[in-house]
Amino acid sequence: MRLLSELPTGESAIIVKVQGYGAFRKRVMEMGFVPGQKITAVLSAPLRDPVKYRLMDYEVLLRRSEASMIEVEPLNPRLHDADGDEHEEKADTSAFHHEDSTIAENVSDHIRTIDVALIGNPNCGKTSLFNIASGANEHVGNYSGVTVDFKTGTFTYKNYRFNLVDLPGTYSLSAYSPEELYVRRYLRNNTPDIIVNVVDASNLERNLYLTTELIDMDRSMVIALNMYDELQATGDSINFKQLGEMIGVPIVPTVSRTGEGINRLFDEVIAVYEGKHSSVRHIHVNLGKEIEPAVNALKDIIKRDQTIEKKFSPRYLAIKYLEKDTEATEVLKEIPCYKELEEERDRQTAKFEATHQEDVTSVITAEKYGFISGALAEVLTRSTRAIATTTSIIDAFVTNKLFGFPLFALIMLAMFWVTFTVGAYPQEWIEWGVEKIASLVATYMPNGPLKDLITQGVIGGVGSVIVFLPNILILYFFISFMEDSGYMARAAFIMDRIMHKIGLHGKSFIPLVMGFGCNVPAIMAARSIESRSSRLITILINPFMSCTARLPIYVLLIGTFFEAHAALVFFCLYFIGVAVAVITAKLLRKFFFKQDETPFVMELPPYRIPTMKTAMRHMWWKGKQYLQKMGGIILVGSIVIWALNYFPLHSNDSSTPEAVAERETAEASAATAGSDSAINFAEDSYLEMLGKAINPVMTPLGMSWRATVAVIAGVPAKEIVVSTLGVLYTGDEEVEESTLGAKLTSPNPITGKPDFTAASALAFMIFVLLYCPCLATVVAIVKETGSWKYGAFSVVYNTAVAWVVAFVVYRVAMLF
């Protein structure tokens, strides 16, 4: 793929795509620059600009700057002979025609590709539409901040290949929030063929404000009037066809939850792309008799720079510059006449403020909402019946100051109880299957390192983690249901006052709750917090939220030592993580970040019953990620742990007097000390030496050297903790019990005591809960904060806190 401006003289090409927007794109397409059309570079001017091109049996001149906006696929490439002269390859005509045919096929693929960007408010169903159209498995959350980066998907419909981009939810195209900036910069740096503006039909007035800004940008657009069933359920009706004709944008009713109207939506996208839709026309949202002259004056100055006009709507830039928008200012500073533009803007602003009590931005916003109200008055018929909505009825209890907190606690407790109790049944089935596979391998494979690798490294390591897949799936099902139903936004609402006490606000609560699933996307979700200091604090305390990677550790040890009180212990672990996060937030706000009060503005979406398909899709997607970890980092980690535990190979002759004496001395010393932490270079593996060398630091927490090795192995990924224990204890041939839990409670053959007790198991879980985040989380912290210092702080601070809290818990537990 090349740009037309790069096409050598005498060469031909097929037009693939016309970039740019609005008037420029429309003008050149009307001249015949349409996808699939053959074009030839005929002649360059003496100074290389402009260039004469031939297409459709006529010739046209284009500047290279304009030609650079047109993508082409070259045909008939020129070759160079030994003398450096250019000539056209004609020797093997059959080969040439075959190659030309192949190029034509490739071009055919390109010219039938439509790039579509989905843009809309949070909670408008945009990501649901993306999922059902593309078949992607992106998570859908019923609150702001779920989609914090763009997602891409591809699908084919009516011989067109659609490249779909799901952009973050945004209320406008201002420069207030990270989402708004992201969408603006995407539209600045990319040129989607069509924008699909997804609008919530049940909240039209608010959603259409973003539509007016997209109209200002003068991009090809189709509106998806989503959640149309909710509009109909209220008894309201809308003449969407008339509204589309009024604003010059086709409108299609859709219900992305069920897929209704999706095919018709993309039929309209194709029609707009091909320039065949009768409703399409560019309108100006009138901003009133005071603002319009100012916008026109600025627009006329901007239009003098033709390079700006090819990528941006002059009107859009004029409006944003009049509002003193920082991003628009940065763009316009590059034009030669910026000084004149700035003086005109200041003159117009001073003139307006001399006669009005409001600033320009407020008036522009009011005029746009006035335009929306006027349009809806023509096409929207409101129902006269009074309806007590389900949302208001449920909120009367859920957000009640008396019932809100106990209800939230009960929901969390029930979630943990079901995760442990219901998940125990399929967990036992998987455990039985893993044992049978291990038994078959042990019975039929010949003895040797390969057998040990498979039984101890692969099956012992990966098998000990995969048994917890049902618990992971159940927990994610609950989290998905709460997010998609709208309850999570209510949780943020009722928690706002508590969050305010620690120097944050309710919007920080969403990323923290998401941390119970995975800390990495939760940290990314903190982008939706406007205040930098609040965003940094939220990111730094997020690793204390117990992610599902730690869940296998809890299930293993709670099931072994606290089965009778499993749900309560689960709840207490999560509560401790939250409590440490709260204390840390208070300390960070007091000593590192000055007080930064930001308004808590967050939409409370209506309650929606998530479809089972959506919940199961999200649950399976997380399960798939978990299984991919089985075959990736956990498998590799298990093999590395096994190798370190297997090597170095020591002499098999352990019956010599020297060896017997050395072993008896070590065992006697260990038994006397009540520990097996003395390093024996003649007998110990590399892993055992490492664990025993570091173990003195961890002994005060009740940890054996095996437990110490497990927490070290868990630094890259917390799932490896259990797989490491599986490898270490599977290799212990003196322990006959088959389950890992039974092996943890069996007496150590050297010390005569179990490596784990109830007190040490509790301290172990708390240490794993609080110590340094996994590698992926540390990388996310560095990326989102823009500094490696915050990543280093998280590693050092979290580990120190983990040691102190685990020490206190262990000593207190020993008293009981």
Side-chain angles (χ1 to χ4, degrees):
M1 193 78 65
R2 298 170 67 175
L3 301 178
L4 180 59
S5 58
E6 300 169 351
L7 192 67
T9 302
E11 230 182 81
S12 297
I14 299 294
I15 296 174
V16 172
K17 183 175 294 185
V18 179
Q19 299 177 351
Y21 85 101
F24 166 77
R25 188 170 185 271
K26 185 178 180 182
R27 184 174 71 249
V28 295
M29 290 187 75
E30 287 173 347
M31 294 171 65
F33 289 80
V34 293
Q37 186 64 49
K38 183 178 178 181
I39 187 169
T40 304
V42 178
L43 182 67
S44 293
L47 298 178
R48 298 189 70 251
D49 213 2
V51 181
K52 183 194 292 185
Y53 296 97
R54 182 187 298 114
L55 78 161
M56 293 185 175
D57 297 323
Y58 83 100
E59 293 180 340
V60 62
L61 295 178
L62 279 185
R63 291 191 180 95
R64 289 187 181 272
S65 60
E66 293 173 333
S68 67
M69 306 293 289
I70 300 169
E71 293 181 7
V72 297
E73 187 74 38
L75 295 173
N76 304 332
R78 296 216 170 241
L79 304 176
H80 295 268
D81 57 25
D83 298 324
D85 295 327
E86 212 175 51
H87 69 279
E88 192 170 347
E89 176 62 67
K90 295 182 180 178
D92 186 354
T93 56
S94 61
F96 176 81
H97 287 301
H98 173 73
E99 181 183 347
D100 193 50
S101 175
T102 304
I103 293 174
E105 290 175 8
N106 292 334
V107 170
S108 177
D109 290 338
H110 287 301
I111 65 175
R112 302 195 72 82
T113 297
I114 304 179
D115 296 328
V116 177
L118 300 181
I119 299 177
N121 285 196
N123 309 313
C124 67
K126 176 173 52 62
T127 304
S128 294
L129 192 151
F130 171 82
N131 283 342
I132 203 162
S134 67
N137 292 303
E138 294 303 335
H139 174 42
V140 184
N142 196 13
Y143 55 84
S144 173
V146 174
T147 312
V148 293
D149 208 339
F150 76 88
K151 309 295 188 299
T152 60
T154 302
F155 70 98
T156 303
Y157 177 68
K158 289 192 173 179
N159 295 321
Y160 274 96
R161 182 174 181 268
F162 287 88
N163 294 328
L164 213 56
V165 178
D166 177 24
L167 294 170
T170 176
Y171 292 107
S172 71
L173 296 178
S174 65
Y176 179 62
S177 73
E179 292 98 336
E180 291 165 351
L181 280 174
Y182 192 96
V183 173
R184 281 182 59 171
R185 288 171 180 169
Y186 177 87
L187 293 176
R188 182 182 72 187
N189 300 325
N190 301 273
T191 311
D193 296 313
I194 305 291
I195 290 173
V196 172
N197 178 207
V198 185
V199 171
D200 181 356
S202 63
N203 196 349
L204 277 172
E205 193 164 5
R206 208 277 317 287
N207 277 247
L208 286 174
Y209 182 82
L210 176 61
T211 306
T212 63
E213 297 213 301
L214 293 171
I215 289 172
D216 289 337
M217 295 190 85
D218 193 15
R219 298 291 183 95
S220 297
M221 184 165 59
V222 176
I223 293 175
L225 192 62
N226 203 27
M227 302 178 189
Y228 192 67
D229 55 334
E230 294 185 11
L231 175 76
Q232 293 176 315
T234 64
D236 295 350
S237 63
I238 184 171
N239 188 334
F240 56 84
K241 186 175 180 181
Q242 183 184 349
L243 178 62
E245 290 171 350
M246 288 169 61
I247 63 176
V249 181
I251 299 177
V252 181
T254 59
V255 183
S256 59
R257 183 171 53 88
T258 62
E260 183 181 340
I262 301 298
N263 286 351
R264 188 178 164 208
L265 173 67
F266 286 99
D267 286 339
E268 299 289 88
V269 168
I270 292 171
V272 173
Y273 177 75
E274 293 179 343
K276 298 177 180 177
H277 205 293
S278 58
S279 297
V280 175
R281 62 190 179 94
H282 180 56
I283 67 161
H284 287 168
V285 177
N286 193 289
L287 300 178
K289 60 183 180 180
E290 287 96 354
I291 301 294
E292 278 295 329
V295 170
N296 290 331
L298 296 176
K299 182 181 70 174
D300 290 341
I301 298 173
I302 294 171
K303 287 176 72 174
R304 294 180 199 166
D305 190 314
Q306 296 181 354
T307 58
I308 285 282
E309 190 178 357
K310 291 188 183 73
K311 290 192 175 183
F312 297 96
S313 161
R315 179 178 173 83
Y316 170 77
L317 285 177
I319 293 170
K320 287 299 176 186
Y321 188 64
L322 192 60
E323 294 177 328
K324 298 185 177 178
D325 181 274
T326 53
E327 287 280 303
T329 302
E330 289 301 314
V331 171
L332 291 169
K333 277 183 178 179
E334 303 298 321
I335 66 175
C337 50
Y338 176 70
K339 186 68 176 173
E340 181 185 351
L341 183 69
E342 185 179 31
E343 291 173 354
E344 180 65 25
R345 192 269 310 271
D346 293 343
R347 189 180 70 81
Q348 293 288 351
T349 303
K351 178 183 175 183
F352 179 84
E353 290 176 350
T355 56
H356 292 77
Q357 298 298 318
E358 297 178 280
D359 59 21
V360 174
T361 303
S362 300
V363 174
I364 289 175
T365 303
E367 290 290 345
K368 287 191 173 184
Y369 273 114
F371 171 83
I372 294 167
S373 297
L376 291 180
E378 296 288 328
V379 298
L380 182 62
T381 304
R382 298 285 187 185
S383 172
T384 55
R385 53 181 174 151
I387 301 175
T389 64
T390 305
T391 294
S392 60
I393 295 171
I394 297 175
D395 273 346
F397 293 94
V398 170
T399 61
N400 185 279
K401 62 181 180 180
L402 200 61
F403 305 121
F405 290 108
L407 184 62
F408 177 70
L410 282 173
I411 289 173
M412 297 299 288
L413 194 60
M415 180 174 73
F416 298 138
W417 181 84
V418 173
T419 297
F420 185 84
T421 306
V422 177
Y425 297 103
Q427 180 188 338
E428 290 174 2
W429 304 334
I430 297 174
E431 202 169 57
W432 177 84
V434 171
E435 289 170 12
K436 289 298 180 185
I437 294 171
S439 176
L440 287 172
V441 173
T443 302
Y444 293 105
M445 274 195 75
N447 291 331
L450 182 60
K451 176 181 177 180
D452 292 340
L453 170 62
I454 294 174
T455 56
Q456 299 173 20
V458 178
I459 299 176
V462 176
S464 60
V465 180
I466 201 171
V467 297
F468 303 109
L469 178 62
N471 307 93
I472 300 288
L473 294 178
I474 292 170
L475 184 63
Y476 266 115
F477 180 85
F478 271 96
I479 292 176
S480 173
F481 190 89
M482 288 194 295
E483 290 173 350
D484 297 343
S485 66
Y487 177 73
M488 202 69 86
R490 270 70 186 180
F493 173 75
I494 64 176
M495 291 295 292
D496 178 55
R497 178 163 291 186
I498 294 175
M499 299 300 290
H500 185 76
K501 296 288 185 184
I502 65 174
L504 300 173
H505 54 65
K507 208 167 186 180
S508 298
F509 184 70
I510 298 300
L512 296 180
V513 174
M514 286 181 67
F516 290 138
C518 180
N519 295 140
V520 175
I523 286 169
M524 294 173 67
R527 294 178 189 173
S528 63
I529 302 170
E530 292 83 5
S531 162
R532 174 171 168 77
S533 63
S534 295
R535 185 163 65 249
L536 288 174
I537 294 174
T538 304
I539 287 171
L540 292 175
I541 68 176
N542 203 289
F544 292 123
M545 303 297 105
S546 188
C547 66
T548 50
R550 300 171 173 100
L551 189 60
I553 306 163
Y554 303 156
V555 174
L556 170 66
L557 295 179
I558 291 174
T560 302
F561 296 98
F562 308 101
E563 188 174 7
H565 307 287
L568 181 61
V569 176
F570 255 114
F571 185 82
C572 289
L573 283 170
Y574 280 74
F575 178 79
I576 289 171
V578 172
V580 172
V582 168
I583 294 170
T584 301
K586 290 281 286 183
L587 293 173
L588 289 171
R589 179 61 80 185
K590 184 173 182 179
F591 294 108
F592 292 95
F593 301 102
K594 64 181 182 179
Q595 195 70 21
D596 186 1
E597 296 291 342
T598 55
F600 177 46
V601 181
M602 185 175 182
E603 181 185 0
L604 284 181
Y607 287 101
R608 297 185 174 103
I609 300 175
T611 61
M612 184 58 66
K613 181 180 179 181
T614 300
M616 295 299 289
R617 173 186 284 169
H618 180 215
M619 184 179 74
W620 167 244
W621 179 243
K622 292 301 178 184
K624 182 181 175 183
Q625 289 180 321
Y626 190 71
L627 290 173
Q628 286 172 340
K629 278 189 175 182
M630 299 295 106
I633 189 170
I634 294 176
L635 176 60
V636 173
S638 298
I639 292 173
V640 170
I641 294 295
W642 171 84
L644 291 173
N645 192 45
Y646 192 82
F647 297 103
L649 295 173
H650 298 289
S651 172
N652 290 328
D653 188 5
S654 58
S655 60
T656 61
E658 293 82 1
V660 171
E662 186 175 355
R663 186 168 62 252
E664 287 177 348
T665 301
E667 290 178 358
S669 174
T672 303
S675 169
D676 63 346
S677 294
I679 298 176
N680 183 347
F681 291 100
E683 296 287 335
D684 291 349
S685 65
Y686 292 128
L687 193 63
E688 196 167 349
M689 293 178 198
L690 174 65
K692 290 177 178 179
I694 300 174
N695 199 53
V697 179
M698 309 302 289
T699 300
L701 310 184
M703 291 192 195
S704 67
W705 69 267
R706 289 183 176 89
T708 300
V709 168
V711 296
I712 295 171
V715 172
K718 296 297 181 282
E719 293 94 340
I720 300 179
V721 172
V722 172
S723 68
T724 301
L725 292 174
V727 170
L728 294 174
Y729 285 95
T730 301
D732 195 344
E733 296 177 358
E734 297 185 39
V735 181
E736 297 180 356
E737 289 87 344
S738 57
T739 65
L740 180 55
K743 292 172 184 176
L744 298 181
T745 56
S746 298
N748 186 308
I750 296 178
T751 64
K753 300 176 183 178
D755 284 349
F756 282 88
T757 62
S760 65
L762 198 57
F764 184 85
M765 287 188 290
I766 287 173
F767 187 83
V768 171
L769 163 70
L770 301 175
Y771 84 126
C772 73
C774 70
L775 191 59
T777 302
V778 174
V779 171
I781 291 172
V782 172
K783 182 180 177 182
E784 294 301 313
T785 59
S787 172
W788 63 268
K789 294 179 182 178
Y790 291 108
F793 170 84
S794 193
V795 170
V796 175
Y797 173 80
N798 291 24
T799 304
V801 167
W803 195 96
V804 172
V805 177
F807 175 80
V808 171
V809 168
Y810 178 67
R811 294 302 166 185
V812 171
M814 288 289 287
L815 299 176
F816 299 96

